Amino acid sequence: MADLILENVFKRYDNNKKSKVLNDYAVNNLSLHCNEGEFIGILGPSGCGKTTTLRMIAGLEDITGGDISIGDIRLNNLEPKDRHIGLAFEDYALYPPLNVYDNIAFNLRAKKVSEEIIDEKIKKIAPLLKVDDLLKEKPISLSGGQKQRVNIARAIVREPKLLLLDEPLSHLDGKMRQVLRDEIKRLHREIKCTTIIVTHDQLEAMSLSDRMAIMKDGVLQQFGTPLEIYDDPANEFVAGFIGEPPMNLLTVTIVKEGEGFLFQFAEKNMKISVPERYNKVLKDGMKVRLGVRPTDVLIGTKKSPGSDVEVSVFESLGEERRLHFRVGEEFLTLITTEKIFYRPGDRVKLEFLSEKTHLFDMESGDKIRTE
Ligand code: ATP
């Protein structure tokens, strides 16, 4: 086993009618270094290049440019079967005439592994994935969750160097998804195989991944631990993409006041003081995008600086309360567990948890850093 390294990987589909002239790479200059044994999540909106990336690693898709290697072994020209990669893709494609045992054994038999060793491996893997009672069943009699478990068992029974999972839980309902997610986590601890998961579900990615790669339009936006990405998004796209409900993102004008600055919102009389740490990177009159998570917006007191703002919507959702404020064309949401009650039209002062605010450049969307 060794690290998986993607270096400046490009993919262009020449037949892609949807591609735009300026950005016609499905994957555009992707570099990722995944450490041995790491669990990596690839996340991004539909069409951002997640599946293409997995398929290139697996050898199911040619690479237009760049290199993919595991340790010192360059994979670019290796046949898929020689890459020692286990695949469990969304479409589990079990062989209908074969029972679960024979489905799991299929790839090992193709490699002429002896029946004795196959049996040994299946007896070890089947209980880990809780399919040991299903070995004699045909796929048609299995539930979606059971099929996905067999699919994963089939991928890992070959003891791959690398396990690639593309939406492996997509056909499951909420509760079953949670159960299988926990099982994948446990399985990864036991087999310690470098694993890459592609998913639409950010909670799934955050709970499973040691590190996550966030992609947009084929381009890597950020690669880091789930907390690094949540707490310190590299740009406005990542800030808005990770987090549920999403981060508030609003255009504000910086207005000088005394020694410091205020954020002036589209709603002209709404002003909130700018945390001091930004003083050296801001100028009077400058426009920026301000990002703050709903849980980092607080109801202030009469003494809070700035002016008050009108509550548009108040929601009481069990443990939490949500307040929505209209700010020009945009909305600002506040989430609190305090047992408060407001009516639309009430006015309150707002404060932001200063260390949790993020500023992004209006043009590039990149985070404006203070050091
Ligand atoms: P989703 O979340 O919807 O599965 P994705 O992030 O996995 O999306 P990809 O399937 O990798 O995205 O697709 C990336 C881009 O490449 C898209 O613009 C898609 O239309 C294009 N693409 C993917 N496969 C092909 C193909 N076989 N031929 C042409 N274009 C393709």
Side-chain angles (χ1 to χ4, degrees):
M1 293 238 290
D3 297 357
L4 167 76
I5 303 158
L6 279 74
E7 277 178 293
N8 309 106
V9 172
F10 288 85
K11 174 68 189 179
R12 191 203 316 258
Y13 289 105
D14 291 326
N15 61 340
N16 189 0
K17 303 270 185 303
K18 281 189 279 177
S19 75
K20 298 163 224 145
V21 178
L22 282 176
N23 182 17
D24 56 357
Y25 288 106
V27 173
N28 193 337
N29 203 10
L30 176 63
S31 295
L32 279 182
H33 188 131
C34 312
N35 298 322
E36 181 179 329
E38 239 184 337
F39 204 121
I40 302 290
I42 304 185
L43 205 63
S46 186
C48 72
K50 304 181 293 290
T51 298
T52 301
T53 302
L54 279 204
R55 289 177 59 82
M56 286 192 290
I57 298 170
L60 303 174
E61 210 63 74
D62 289 338
I63 304 172
T64 309
D67 281 312
I68 300 181
S69 39
I70 295 183
D72 296 336
I73 302 167
R74 193 163 169 267
L75 299 185
N76 293 32
N77 301 318
L78 280 188
E79 288 292 318
K81 66 177 174 42
D82 299 325
R83 296 189 182 204
H84 305 288
I85 290 176
L87 302 174
F89 282 5
E90 177 175 4
D91 157 23
Y92 21 71
L94 301 177
Y95 304 107
L98 304 185
N99 66 20
V100 168
Y101 185 101
D102 292 334
N103 262 286
I104 300 175
F106 192 86
N107 289 318
L108 296 174
R109 286 186 180 138
K111 290 202 153 218
K112 309 262 182 289
V113 178
S114 76
E115 285 299 324
E116 199 185 338
I117 292 183
I118 291 178
D119 196 55
E120 220 173 81
K121 284 178 188 284
I122 294 182
K123 294 230 164 88
K124 195 170 146 215
I125 289 293
L128 287 181
L129 279 149
K130 304 208 172 86
V131 295
D132 38 343
D133 292 340
L134 307 172
L135 293 172
K136 295 202 172 83
E137 303 288 333
K138 293 272 174 66
I140 195 162
S141 59
L142 303 182
S143 70
Q146 289 168 333
K147 280 186 205 157
Q148 294 207 290
R149 281 205 287 257
V150 175
N151 195 25
I152 296 171
R154 191 172 53 167
I156 61 173
V157 76
R158 303 154 76 183
E159 294 170 20
K161 285 186 184 164
L162 185 64
L163 180 62
L164 304 180
L165 306 171
D166 192 350
E167 301 277 4
L169 313 181
S170 56
H171 295 301
L172 307 180
D173 60 29
K175 189 151 177 267
M176 192 64 210
R177 236 182 139 107
Q178 170 74 48
V179 170
L180 201 48
R181 185 164 93 195
D182 293 346
E183 280 176 24
I184 290 180
K185 221 171 181 167
R186 179 181 50 81
L187 191 72
H188 181 251
R189 273 201 302 272
E190 293 196 21
I191 63 170
K192 297 186 182 68
C193 167
T194 312
T195 304
I196 303 188
I197 188 166
V198 156
T199 170
H200 272 96
D201 182 335
Q202 55 169 286
L203 213 63
E204 196 165 287
M206 289 183 87
S207 92
L208 287 170
S209 309
D210 295 314
R211 286 190 294 166
M212 304 196 300
I214 315 293
M215 294 181 70
K216 179 187 171 228
D217 297 337
V219 178
L220 179 67
Q221 305 290 308
Q222 190 167 3
F223 187 38
T225 66
L227 267 188
E228 275 164 7
I229 290 176
Y230 186 85
D231 286 340
D232 189 14
N235 58 36
E236 185 177 338
F237 169 77
V238 175
F241 189 74
I242 295 295
E244 188 44 49
M247 185 184 279
N248 293 298
L249 288 159
L250 302 145
T251 301
V252 292
T253 308
I254 304 300
V255 182
K256 183 104 182 106
E257 173 144 305
E259 290 300 295
F261 293 104
L262 293 175
F263 293 122
Q264 182 177 66
F265 293 78
E267 190 82 18
K268 281 283 187 305
N269 63 3
M270 179 178 164
K271 294 192 185 100
I272 289 182
S273 53
V274 173
E276 231 179 271
R277 69 198 160 100
Y278 289 120
N279 283 2
K280 49 186 185 290
V281 292
L282 298 177
K283 287 198 197 84
D284 190 27
M286 183 177 175
K287 277 192 187 322
V288 294
R289 294 283 285 165
L290 165 68
V292 60
R293 298 207 180 274
T295 43
D296 298 329
V297 183
L298 311 174
I299 293 182
T301 62
K302 285 202 173 83
K303 289 192 183 135
S304 300
S307 45
D308 54 17
V309 51
E310 187 180 300
V311 176
S312 295
V313 179
F314 175 81
E315 295 174 294
S316 186
L317 306 172
E319 279 307 292
E320 64 177 45
R321 312 277 183 274
R322 293 186 183 191
L323 281 81
H324 304 277
F325 306 91
R326 181 181 273 286
V327 184
E329 297 290 294
E330 300 167 309
F331 271 97
L332 175 73
T333 301
L334 173 158
I335 297 182
T336 177
T337 50
E338 275 180 59
K339 305 278 178 261
I340 48 169
F341 180 79
Y342 287 95
R343 286 193 174 80
D346 287 349
R347 298 191 75 85
V348 293
K349 283 207 171 173
L350 296 179
E351 288 190 26
F352 295 157
L353 275 183
S354 143
E355 71 281 11
K356 298 287 184 69
T357 51
H358 309 266
L359 299 186
F360 302 100
D361 186 274
M362 288 290 288
E363 298 291 314
S364 66
D366 288 343
K367 181 152 182 175
I368 298 174
R369 303 225 168 247
T370 51
E371 73 268 340

